[in-house]
Amino acid sequence: MKKHSSVQFAAVVWKEGKQFVSQCLNVDISSFGSTKREALENLEEALLLYLEDFSKKLPKVETPVLEIRTLQHA
């Protein structure tokens, strides 16, 4: 019998064109959907697949800060 556990993850969601993109801040996994809710649900599904290997654990994200920088390019 499988033991179920819960895990919290931090995510950021933004609109890119007509799609919403969701990205997990704990690990480099992202997904998308036509709504914010769909993008987050798809991200949850991707994380569940990632976590099927019980040896993997999500690192904790402590107090994330959004940094906006300006990059000059030619």
Side-chain angles (χ1 to χ4, degrees), residues 6 8 11 20-23 26 38-39 43 48 64-65 68 73:
S6 63
Q8 287 187 330
F20 285 87
V21 179
S22 56
Q23 183 174 13
N26 306 80
E38 183 180 7
L43 180 60
L48 286 172
V65 176
I68 299 176
H73 60 92

Side-chain angles (χ1 to χ4, degrees), residues 21-48:
V21 179
S22 56
Q23 183 174 13
C24 179
L25 299 178
N26 306 80
V27 290
D28 191 21
I29 295 177
S30 60
S31 193
F32 66 95
S34 56
T35 65
K36 182 178 177 179
R37 181 179 183 161
E38 183 180 7
L40 287 168
E41 288 172 353
N42 291 341
L43 180 60
E44 279 187 39
E45 184 177 343
L47 284 167
L48 286 172

Side-chain angles (χ1 to χ4, degrees), residues 3-9 51 58:
K3 183 180 175 185
H4 294 285
S5 61
S6 63
V7 78
Q8 287 187 330
F9 65 94
L51 291 170
L58 291 180

